[in-house]
Amino acid sequence: MKKIVFIIIITVCLAGLRSKAQTNTPCLIPIPSDIKMGSGSFVFDRITNIWFNSNDIELKKVIQPFVVQFCKVTNYKIEENNKLLISNSTIDILITNRADTLGEEGYCLDVRKNNISIKAANYAGIFYAFQTLRQLLPKEIESKTKVTNNIKWEVPCLTITDKPRFKWRGMLLDCGRHFMDKDFVKRYIDILSYYKMNRFHWHLTEDQGWRIEIKKYPKLTEIGAWRIEADGKRYGGFYTQADIKEIVAYAADHFITVIPEIEMPGHSVGAIASYPLLSCTGLPINVENNWGVFKDIYCAGNDSTFAFIQDVLDEVISLFPAKYIHIGGDEAPKYRWEHCPKCQARIKNEGLKDEFELQSYFIKRIEAYLKTKDRSIIGWDEILEGGLAPAATVQSWRGVQGAIHAARTGHDAVVSPTSHAYFDYDVKNLDLKKVYSFEPIPDSLTEEQSKHILGGECNMWTERGPQDQVDNRMFPRMLAMTEALWSLPQNKNYDAFYNRVQKHYNVLNIMGVNYGYEAQPITIKTTYDKTTNSFAVTFIPGQPNLKFFYTIDGSQPTMSSNQYNTPIIFSKSGTMKAAAFLEGKQVGDIFERNIIVSKALGKKVTVKYPYSRNYIANGDLTLTDGIKGSNEFADRMWQGYEKNDVEAIINLEKPEMINKITVGFLQFSNAWIFMPEYIEFYVSDDGDNFRLIETIKNDVLQNESKVIVKDYICIPKDLTSGRYVKIRAKNIGKCPPWHAGAGGDTWLFIDEISVE
Ligand code: ACM
Ligand code: ZN
């Protein structure tokens, strides 16, 4: 049954992009509000006449790119308003007074055998109608040069009435961590607009680089735009004001508003390295060459800091016409402010409660300044802490709670939670299907409050995404995001979307987009069998038609290894390595898991302090599920405890001899994850009275910058038995003073407890 459905959908899609235009629904992304299919098709003549109000210079500008591209690729002609021309193909463009139904960006596209009619209330709608037309034409219409194949340039007869669900459909590009060429940015504007996205959120200032020329403060780009990498190489770059004007104008031609982000008070090392007096200490520091969150932030006690920021914003405003300026506001450690006499004096003089209210004071002061320039601020959800600025818009990233709070208190919000919108995350943590399921309006909002949700964004942070990696993180996930933001929920269907995506790869190929995977090629599910104390590993493919090969002896899997057909049964510990292949080529990385079969396997674990909702791993089963965490903290095998200690009791169900207890921890100090201060191992017969068997003190250096995974092993000196095993691991509590996040709450990451 399923197969039949699949075949039907594929056929439908072929009809769209290959334009065997008959009665089938075409492969449009995002899916329009309403499509009514006609019969037959509109075939472009060697000369097509396009009709529009020739006095309308703006309208001509919107039409031109299509005309130029079409003529270049087809070698056909499109004549404008030629009264003498007799042609079997005409296109009529009309700005109508239908704003009430089509909205600011909506359009109506009516394709009949000899005529295409495009109507919209605004130029944006006309622009989007042309994007739809591009998707209806044979894919070769996107070619860079004339197409020599004999292609019938036709479009299926249909009527589309379409408008976006949300008015804010954005992409963030972080050009701070990695600088992106001007042409690369313009290429993204092209692709975004092709998929009807309309906001380009340009992250321009960071700890690792200041990327925007500010004439009054030349050191920002002489010093702040450059960092010395660990290998000694100088890395950097910046956009001149001329570059920025060019990009902003280019975006405007593509109906994209550029929202600049100038980070404050945190993520400001680039600026402080250029002008050290902006910080609390005033001491010289370097532009960062590490990723993370850093304690040197703008001093909130210095009026000269505000004077500097206002000067910067003056120049920013002159370059960016958008109503909104993004002021960041996220991840600003309060350590320096806590120890700065000027910041403390500000807290006292302004009657503020603490450093969070000082941050709120900071943001409100900037908002008030921008208001005098007729601009509004948008900031990450941390701007809620200590009190939200009066008219601020909130960009919710730590879940949707920030958006809910904003909407309930009458503020607008843009929604881009890490769970669905962080495209820097690997597909194994955020796959195409998950992005597609993104619903920007949180459930708990009333209809009235929902009006404050302006839309959403996909965020392309670039710590791990230099320019040549951006495409494979953005695609195909961006296609899911645009449909989540443009299309009506009742028109969404993942299977149908998935099939449209398969066809869009043809267009992306022509556009030269180096798209990545839809999902991690391999994920696994395990089932525990109590009677044999073994478990079965089932592979779940991330995309169709993959073949899996695996080893359990530690060797690298190839196509000559065991082929996976049925679940793999483990009755003793071992290492499983697996690889996915598509048409003889390996897809994705080798998938590796250490399997632990011990007396603890599958046994019930009770934890005293809760683990973080963001790092639940396999929930209550995590610590005895038989799979050990890898050296990636976000592999969904590690369970994370923020601030809390870990206290876990395993019920072995019957008295057992206990010769060895092993527990794994991970340290990654850049992510504020540290080894425990010490670990205590206990045993009990009744689950109430525990005997301390051993305390192991941590000996891993806290200031190691790389990821460390370590097993702590307790081997009881005396003969020991018991029915319950307890592990207590002490969280160090606060990031040490030398750490970039000094004073911030630390994490424990634990996985797999085994008992032998
Ligand atoms: C963020 O990801 N720090 C907004
Ligand atoms: Zn200060």
Side-chain angles (χ1 to χ4, degrees):
M1 180 62 195
K2 211 161 180 195
K3 236 179 195 159
I4 294 171
V5 172
F6 184 70
I7 290 165
I8 291 172
I9 292 167
I10 289 280
T11 321
V12 166
C13 285
L14 291 178
L17 285 187
R18 284 229 223 105
S19 79
K20 278 247 152 281
Q22 301 302 328
T23 55
N24 298 319
T25 312
C27 276
L28 298 170
I29 295 178
I31 192 85
S33 319
D34 186 67
I35 309 178
K36 287 195 179 55
M37 298 307 298
S39 63
S41 62
F42 171 96
V43 183
F44 277 83
D45 247 351
R46 294 225 153 250
I47 307 180
T48 293
N49 211 345
I50 191 163
W51 292 95
F52 61 95
N53 175 0
S54 53
N55 296 326
D56 192 336
I57 308 297
E58 281 301 309
L59 184 57
K60 186 176 163 78
K61 215 169 118 188
V62 177
I63 294 166
Q64 268 309 298
F66 175 81
V67 171
V68 169
Q69 173 71 6
F70 184 87
C71 296
K72 179 176 82 185
V73 170
T74 61
N75 224 16
Y76 287 15
K77 280 196 169 141
I78 296 185
E79 298 262 325
E80 293 173 4
N81 301 316
N82 184 343
K83 290 200 178 72
L84 302 176
L85 175 69
I86 300 173
S87 167
N88 277 329
S89 61
T90 57
I91 303 177
D92 300 325
I93 316 281
L94 193 64
I95 298 280
T96 67
N97 206 3
R98 283 185 55 197
D100 50 337
T101 54
L102 291 174
E104 303 222 333
E105 299 176 290
Y107 64 93
C108 181
L109 171 68
D110 193 13
V111 181
R112 309 215 177 165
K113 280 199 178 126
N114 297 315
N115 174 259
I116 293 177
S117 150
I118 293 173
K119 294 193 183 109
N122 289 295
Y123 301 123
I126 304 286
F127 179 82
Y128 291 129
F130 275 110
Q131 305 320 305
T132 298
L133 196 57
R134 284 168 69 182
Q135 292 196 12
L136 291 169
L137 277 158
K139 62 181 187 299
E140 290 82 359
I141 194 62
E142 301 308 327
S143 306
K144 299 208 165 42
T145 53
K146 178 171 157 337
V147 172
T148 47
N149 310 0
N150 213 2
I151 288 172
K152 194 170 176 187
W153 299 104
E154 64 178 341
V155 181
C157 288
L158 47 65
T159 304
I160 292 177
T161 311
D162 195 14
K163 63 178 177 184
R165 180 173 172 216
F166 292 102
K167 66 177 174 196
W168 189 298
R169 307 179 301 280
M171 169 196 174
L172 171 146
L173 185 62
D174 168 12
C175 295
R177 271 53 174 257
H178 281 102
F179 179 72
M180 312 277 161
D181 297 340
K182 185 175 71 180
D183 286 341
F184 182 81
V185 173
K186 285 166 104 176
R187 173 175 170 272
Y188 260 85
I189 285 164
D190 287 337
I191 306 173
L192 289 172
S193 67
Y194 177 75
Y195 285 109
K196 303 190 173 83
M197 301 277 270
N198 69 353
R199 296 284 185 279
F200 179 65
H201 174 171
W202 202 3
H203 189 78
L204 284 166
T205 70
E206 253 311 332
D207 298 314
Q208 296 84 0
W210 181 281
R211 306 279 175 233
I212 166 173
E213 179 190 24
I214 300 294
K215 302 227 193 248
K216 187 158 183 184
Y217 298 102
K219 285 187 193 165
L220 287 171
T221 41
E222 286 163 13
I223 295 171
W226 306 93
R227 64 176 181 252
I228 306 300
E229 300 282 36
D231 63 5
K233 291 206 180 93
R234 185 169 184 255
Y235 175 93
F238 64 92
Y239 305 96
T240 64
Q241 295 203 349
D243 292 336
I244 288 171
K245 283 183 191 150
E246 185 181 328
I247 287 171
V248 168
Y250 190 79
D253 288 346
H254 290 74
F255 293 85
I256 287 182
T257 305
V258 184
I259 311 288
E261 182 175 350
I262 308 296
E263 275 267 20
M264 62 191 80
H267 289 291
S268 44
V269 171
I272 293 170
S274 315
Y275 297 97
L277 291 177
L278 294 168
S279 76
C280 289
T281 66
L283 297 173
I285 55 173
N286 292 327
V287 177
E288 264 302 334
N289 63 1
N290 266 314
W291 313 130
V293 171
F294 301 94
K295 62 178 174 287
D296 282 302
I297 67 174
Y298 289 126
C299 177
N302 258 338
D303 281 336
S304 57
T305 306
F306 290 95
F308 164 84
I309 293 174
Q310 289 174 7
D311 289 342
V312 167
L313 289 174
D314 284 347
E315 294 193 33
V316 168
I317 287 165
S318 73
L319 297 168
F320 295 91
K323 170 184 161 197
Y324 292 97
I325 306 291
H326 204 301
I327 49 74
D330 60 318
E331 299 181 320
K334 306 296 184 289
Y335 182 83
R336 288 291 190 220
W337 289 0
E338 285 161 7
H339 296 87
C340 169
K342 284 171 286 188
C343 287
Q344 291 305 314
R346 177 84 74 195
I347 288 176
K348 191 154 165 262
N349 297 340
E350 297 290 332
L352 306 172
K353 195 165 94 220
D354 56 15
E355 288 73 22
F356 289 95
E357 287 200 358
L358 181 58
Q359 160 136 346
S360 172
Y361 164 88
F362 194 115
I363 302 294
K364 283 178 181 156
R365 188 162 162 175
I366 297 300
E367 179 186 57
Y369 181 72
L370 283 170
K371 193 161 170 235
T372 66
K373 309 281 169 180
D374 213 16
R375 301 300 176 101
S376 303
I377 63 163
I378 175 168
W380 300 106
D381 53 52
E382 284 93 332
I383 65 172
L384 287 159
E385 294 165 0
L388 189 53
T393 295
V394 173
Q395 182 161 10
S396 197
W397 71 282
R398 298 174 301 179
V400 295
Q401 220 40 49
I404 293 172
H405 185 92
R408 285 191 179 147
T409 53
H411 290 260
D412 287 343
V414 170
V415 190
S416 60
T418 52
S419 57
H420 292 78
Y422 268 46
F423 285 13
D424 54 323
Y425 287 18
D426 194 280
V427 287
K428 67 180 163 234
N429 299 318
L430 176 56
D431 63 21
L432 184 66
K433 192 168 187 176
K434 181 99 187 267
V435 177
Y436 195 72
S437 72
F438 179 43
E439 169 48 58
I441 297 183
D443 277 348
S444 58
L445 294 185
T446 65
E447 201 175 323
E448 205 45 41
Q449 290 163 349
S450 304
K451 291 181 185 153
H452 285 294
I453 305 296
L454 302 181
E457 275 185 12
C458 44
N459 294 347
M460 183 59 222
W461 299 105
T462 61
E463 285 93 334
R464 282 157 222 90
Q467 185 169 304
D468 63 353
Q469 295 298 316
V470 172
D471 276 11
N472 72 47
R473 293 187 177 258
M474 283 299 294
F475 293 93
R477 293 183 287 192
M478 203 267 271
L479 309 193
M481 182 56 77
T482 187
E483 194 144 313
L485 296 174
W486 177 284
S487 303
L488 295 170
Q490 62 267 31
N491 288 340
K492 284 179 67 188
N493 172 305
Y494 184 71
D495 291 340
F497 166 76
Y498 184 81
N499 285 302
R500 282 182 277 125
V501 169
Q502 304 314 301
K503 296 298 130 191
H504 272 256
Y505 288 141
N506 296 330
V507 179
L508 295 175
N509 285 338
I510 293 176
M511 290 176 170
V513 173
N514 181 24
Y515 45 84
Y517 305 122
E518 294 156 358
Q520 163 154 276
I522 306 173
T523 45
I524 58 170
K525 198 178 91 192
T526 56
T527 21
Y528 171 60
D529 179 10
K530 207 167 176 169
T531 49
T532 56
N533 196 39
S534 65
F535 73 54
V537 176
T538 307
F539 285 16
I540 303 163
Q543 57 195 72
N545 304 322
L546 294 176
K547 288 196 172 114
F548 301 121
F549 294 86
Y550 69 93
T551 64
I552 51 170
D553 61 1
S555 62
Q556 293 300 94
T558 65
M559 285 186 75
S560 345
S561 309
N562 295 320
Q563 183 164 5
Y564 173 87
N565 295 311
T566 52
I568 312 167
I569 310 291
F570 284 87
S571 47
K572 60 179 196 329
S573 302
T575 298
M576 180 190 72
K577 293 188 181 181
F581 290 84
L582 184 66
E583 288 161 6
K585 262 179 63 187
Q586 188 180 320
V587 179
D589 301 331
I590 303 266
F591 180 90
E592 179 175 337
R593 290 289 180 260
N594 285 327
I595 309 289
I596 307 292
V597 178
S598 82
K599 288 173 181 167
L601 180 62
K603 300 296 188 298
K604 185 165 186 265
V605 181
T606 314
V607 294
K608 182 162 175 190
Y609 311 108
Y611 39 83
S612 158
R613 286 169 48 124
N614 293 330
Y615 295 97
I616 60 174
N618 201 2
D620 289 347
L621 305 174
T622 304
L623 301 182
T624 55
D625 67 358
I627 306 177
K628 254 185 127 42
S630 67
N631 60 0
E632 272 182 64
F633 72 91
D635 67 0
R636 292 203 240 180
M637 302 285 154
W638 291 101
Q639 195 164 65
Y641 289 74
E642 188 178 16
K643 282 193 274 193
N644 290 343
D645 296 340
V646 178
E647 189 169 320
I649 298 174
I650 301 169
N651 180 351
L652 299 172
E653 294 174 8
K654 60 179 181 357
E656 296 275 11
M657 286 306 300
I658 294 169
N659 301 316
K660 186 176 175 188
I661 308 170
T662 308
V663 57
F665 283 91
L666 175 143
Q667 175 169 298
F668 184 31
S669 60
N670 274 0
W672 307 22
I673 305 167
F674 290 90
M675 289 295 174
E677 195 179 319
Y678 57 84
I679 301 154
E680 293 167 347
F681 297 81
Y682 297 85
V683 172
S684 160
D685 299 320
D686 58 7
D688 288 327
N689 302 298
F690 280 90
R691 309 187 292 284
L692 177 65
I693 305 295
E694 190 178 358
T695 301
I696 300 183
K697 278 203 149 67
N698 168 50
D699 58 0
V700 173
L701 290 178
Q702 288 176 344
N703 59 1
E704 267 295 347
S705 61
K706 51 183 198 299
V707 174
I708 298 170
V709 172
K710 179 170 169 165
D711 278 343
Y712 291 83
I713 301 171
C714 157
I715 298 182
K717 286 194 195 68
D718 307 316
L719 213 55
T720 301
S721 70
R723 188 175 165 148
Y724 298 88
V725 168
K726 181 163 90 175
I727 304 283
R728 224 171 76 77
K730 182 83 189 129
N731 194 323
I732 67 164
K734 298 277 178 209
C735 292
W738 56 264
H739 189 267
D745 295 329
T746 51
W747 292 74
L748 283 178
F749 268 54
I750 180 173
D751 188 28
E752 210 53 25
I753 302 174
S754 64
V755 177
E756 288 159 67

mmCIF file of all heavy atoms in Angstrom, residues 278-281 297-302 305 336-344 358, ligand 2:
data_model
loop_
_atom_site.group_PDB
_atom_site.id
_atom_site.type_symbol
_atom_site.label_atom_id
_atom_site.label_comp_id
_atom_site.label_asym_id
_atom_site.label_seq_id
_atom_site.Cartn_x
_atom_site.Cartn_y
_atom_site.Cartn_z
ATOM 1 N N LEU A 278 36.669 49.868 26.381
ATOM 2 C CA LEU A 278 35.239 49.522 26.372
ATOM 3 C C LEU A 278 34.896 48.467 27.417
ATOM 4 O O LEU A 278 33.734 48.229 27.720
ATOM 5 C CB LEU A 278 34.837 48.983 24.992
ATOM 6 C CG LEU A 278 34.903 49.987 23.833
ATOM 7 C CD1 LEU A 278 34.764 49.264 22.494
ATOM 8 C CD2 LEU A 278 33.791 51.033 23.977
ATOM 9 N N SER A 279 35.915 47.790 27.955
ATOM 10 C CA SER A 279 35.629 46.698 28.897
ATOM 11 C C SER A 279 35.737 47.180 30.337
ATOM 12 O O SER A 279 36.173 48.300 30.608
ATOM 13 C CB SER A 279 36.605 45.546 28.671
ATOM 14 O OG SER A 279 37.872 45.879 29.214
ATOM 15 N N CYS A 280 35.369 46.321 31.267
ATOM 16 C CA CYS A 280 35.434 46.674 32.688
ATOM 17 C C CYS A 280 36.870 46.828 33.159
ATOM 18 O O CYS A 280 37.183 47.699 33.954
ATOM 19 C CB CYS A 280 34.721 45.614 33.522
ATOM 20 S SG CYS A 280 32.930 45.650 33.321
ATOM 21 N N THR A 281 37.763 45.967 32.668
ATOM 22 C CA THR A 281 39.153 46.013 33.149
ATOM 23 C C THR A 281 39.981 47.045 32.390
ATOM 24 O O THR A 281 40.975 47.538 32.912
ATOM 25 C CB THR A 281 39.856 44.650 32.962
ATOM 26 O OG1 THR A 281 39.980 44.413 31.559
ATOM 27 C CG2 THR A 281 39.075 43.525 33.618
ATOM 28 N N ILE A 297 33.068 41.685 28.461
ATOM 29 C CA ILE A 297 31.920 42.262 27.746
ATOM 30 C C ILE A 297 31.981 43.785 27.920
ATOM 31 O O ILE A 297 32.830 44.291 28.652
ATOM 32 C CB ILE A 297 30.583 41.684 28.269
ATOM 33 C CG1 ILE A 297 30.315 42.116 29.714
ATOM 34 C CG2 ILE A 297 30.601 40.154 28.201
ATOM 35 C CD1 ILE A 297 28.931 41.680 30.235
ATOM 36 N N TYR A 298 31.117 44.508 27.238
ATOM 37 C CA TYR A 298 31.134 45.974 27.384
ATOM 38 C C TYR A 298 30.873 46.342 28.836
ATOM 39 O O TYR A 298 29.987 45.769 29.482
ATOM 40 C CB TYR A 298 30.038 46.609 26.529
ATOM 41 C CG TYR A 298 30.268 46.554 25.036
ATOM 42 C CD1 TYR A 298 29.301 46.006 24.199
ATOM 43 C CD2 TYR A 298 31.422 47.085 24.461
ATOM 44 C CE1 TYR A 298 29.475 45.964 22.823
ATOM 45 C CE2 TYR A 298 31.608 47.045 23.072
ATOM 46 C CZ TYR A 298 30.637 46.483 22.265
ATOM 47 O OH TYR A 298 30.820 46.448 20.910
ATOM 48 N N CYS A 299 31.595 47.333 29.340
ATOM 49 C CA CYS A 299 31.367 47.832 30.690
ATOM 50 C C CYS A 299 30.085 48.679 30.693
ATOM 51 O O CYS A 299 29.949 49.608 29.911
ATOM 52 C CB CYS A 299 32.551 48.683 31.144
ATOM 53 S SG CYS A 299 32.285 49.390 32.775
ATOM 54 N N ALA A 300 29.178 48.312 31.598
ATOM 55 C CA ALA A 300 27.898 49.038 31.653
ATOM 56 C C ALA A 300 27.979 50.238 32.587
ATOM 57 O O ALA A 300 27.013 51.001 32.716
ATOM 58 C CB ALA A 300 26.797 48.085 32.103
ATOM 59 N N GLY A 301 29.136 50.396 33.240
ATOM 60 C CA GLY A 301 29.278 51.522 34.161
ATOM 61 C C GLY A 301 29.889 52.748 33.500
ATOM 62 O O GLY A 301 29.881 53.844 34.059
ATOM 63 N N ASN A 302 30.442 52.565 32.320
ATOM 64 C CA ASN A 302 31.133 53.640 31.606
ATOM 65 C C ASN A 302 30.209 54.352 30.637
ATOM 66 O O ASN A 302 29.720 53.724 29.694
ATOM 67 C CB ASN A 302 32.242 53.009 30.743
ATOM 68 C CG ASN A 302 33.595 53.157 31.376
ATOM 69 O OD1 ASN A 302 33.795 54.025 32.209
ATOM 70 N ND2 ASN A 302 34.511 52.313 30.961
ATOM 71 N N THR A 305 31.228 53.904 27.014
ATOM 72 C CA THR A 305 30.806 52.705 26.269
ATOM 73 C C THR A 305 29.543 53.024 25.472
ATOM 74 O O THR A 305 29.423 52.669 24.297
ATOM 75 C CB THR A 305 30.470 51.542 27.240
ATOM 76 O OG1 THR A 305 31.566 51.319 28.088
ATOM 77 C CG2 THR A 305 30.135 50.272 26.479
ATOM 78 N N ARG A 336 32.410 39.980 35.027
ATOM 79 C CA ARG A 336 33.151 41.258 35.045
ATOM 80 C C ARG A 336 32.341 42.349 35.734
ATOM 81 O O ARG A 336 32.892 43.154 36.490
ATOM 82 C CB ARG A 336 33.486 41.697 33.616
ATOM 83 C CG ARG A 336 34.555 40.864 32.937
ATOM 84 C CD ARG A 336 35.925 41.073 33.557
ATOM 85 N NE ARG A 336 36.962 40.461 32.761
ATOM 86 C CZ ARG A 336 38.012 39.814 33.259
ATOM 87 N NH1 ARG A 336 38.161 39.665 34.575
ATOM 88 N NH2 ARG A 336 38.923 39.318 32.464
ATOM 89 N N TRP A 337 31.066 42.386 35.466
ATOM 90 C CA TRP A 337 30.220 43.416 36.075
ATOM 91 C C TRP A 337 30.176 43.260 37.601
ATOM 92 O O TRP A 337 30.162 44.237 38.330
ATOM 93 C CB TRP A 337 28.788 43.342 35.506
ATOM 94 C CG TRP A 337 28.673 43.810 34.081
ATOM 95 C CD1 TRP A 337 29.674 44.273 33.280
ATOM 96 C CD2 TRP A 337 27.473 43.857 33.294
ATOM 97 N NE1 TRP A 337 29.183 44.598 32.035
ATOM 98 C CE2 TRP A 337 27.829 44.347 32.024
ATOM 99 C CE3 TRP A 337 26.144 43.521 33.525
ATOM 100 C CZ2 TRP A 337 26.893 44.537 30.990
ATOM 101 C CZ3 TRP A 337 25.209 43.702 32.514
ATOM 102 C CH2 TRP A 337 25.585 44.205 31.257
ATOM 103 N N GLU A 338 30.169 41.988 38.032
ATOM 104 C CA GLU A 338 30.136 41.742 39.486
ATOM 105 C C GLU A 338 31.394 42.300 40.158
ATOM 106 O O GLU A 338 31.360 42.683 41.322
ATOM 107 C CB GLU A 338 30.056 40.225 39.757
ATOM 108 C CG GLU A 338 28.680 39.636 39.497
ATOM 109 C CD GLU A 338 28.721 38.114 39.328
ATOM 110 O OE1 GLU A 338 29.791 37.494 39.533
ATOM 111 O OE2 GLU A 338 27.663 37.548 38.964
ATOM 112 N N HIS A 339 32.500 42.312 39.409
ATOM 113 C CA HIS A 339 33.776 42.723 39.999
ATOM 114 C C HIS A 339 34.213 44.119 39.555
ATOM 115 O O HIS A 339 35.353 44.502 39.789
ATOM 116 C CB HIS A 339 34.860 41.693 39.648
ATOM 117 C CG HIS A 339 34.586 40.349 40.229
ATOM 118 N ND1 HIS A 339 33.816 39.397 39.592
ATOM 119 C CD2 HIS A 339 34.929 39.795 41.419
ATOM 120 C CE1 HIS A 339 33.709 38.316 40.355
ATOM 121 N NE2 HIS A 339 34.375 38.541 41.471
ATOM 122 N N CYS A 340 33.331 44.876 38.905
ATOM 123 C CA CYS A 340 33.733 46.181 38.361
ATOM 124 C C CYS A 340 33.130 47.309 39.200
ATOM 125 O O CYS A 340 31.909 47.404 39.328
ATOM 126 C CB CYS A 340 33.253 46.278 36.913
ATOM 127 S SG CYS A 340 33.393 47.926 36.211
ATOM 128 N N PRO A 341 33.979 48.169 39.780
ATOM 129 C CA PRO A 341 33.449 49.262 40.620
ATOM 130 C C PRO A 341 32.491 50.176 39.847
ATOM 131 O O PRO A 341 31.476 50.628 40.396
ATOM 132 C CB PRO A 341 34.701 50.043 41.039
ATOM 133 C CG PRO A 341 35.857 49.162 40.730
ATOM 134 C CD PRO A 341 35.438 48.160 39.696
ATOM 135 N N LYS A 342 32.783 50.401 38.551
ATOM 136 C CA LYS A 342 31.911 51.303 37.773
ATOM 137 C C LYS A 342 30.538 50.660 37.548
ATOM 138 O O LYS A 342 29.506 51.327 37.649
ATOM 139 C CB LYS A 342 32.569 51.635 36.424
ATOM 140 C CG LYS A 342 33.709 52.641 36.566
ATOM 141 C CD LYS A 342 34.494 52.793 35.285
ATOM 142 C CE LYS A 342 35.373 51.575 35.078
ATOM 143 N NZ LYS A 342 36.325 51.646 33.992
ATOM 144 N N CYS A 343 30.547 49.389 37.239
ATOM 145 C CA CYS A 343 29.263 48.696 37.037
ATOM 146 C C CYS A 343 28.489 48.629 38.349
ATOM 147 O O CYS A 343 27.262 48.812 38.368
ATOM 148 C CB CYS A 343 29.490 47.295 36.467
ATOM 149 S SG CYS A 343 29.990 47.328 34.731
ATOM 150 N N GLN A 344 29.209 48.372 39.437
ATOM 151 C CA GLN A 344 28.532 48.306 40.743
ATOM 152 C C GLN A 344 27.969 49.682 41.125
ATOM 153 O O GLN A 344 26.876 49.781 41.688
ATOM 154 C CB GLN A 344 29.491 47.778 41.820
ATOM 155 C CG GLN A 344 29.841 46.296 41.630
ATOM 156 C CD GLN A 344 28.594 45.396 41.565
ATOM 157 O OE1 GLN A 344 27.677 45.515 42.379
ATOM 158 N NE2 GLN A 344 28.546 44.513 40.567
ATOM 159 N N LEU A 358 21.017 45.241 35.483
ATOM 160 C CA LEU A 358 21.987 46.124 34.810
ATOM 161 C C LEU A 358 21.977 45.847 33.300
ATOM 162 O O LEU A 358 22.037 46.772 32.483
ATOM 163 C CB LEU A 358 23.389 45.912 35.393
ATOM 164 C CG LEU A 358 24.495 46.792 34.808
ATOM 165 C CD1 LEU A 358 24.180 48.281 34.966
ATOM 166 C CD2 LEU A 358 25.850 46.479 35.462
HETATM 167 ZN ZN ZN B 2 32.160 47.570 34.228
#
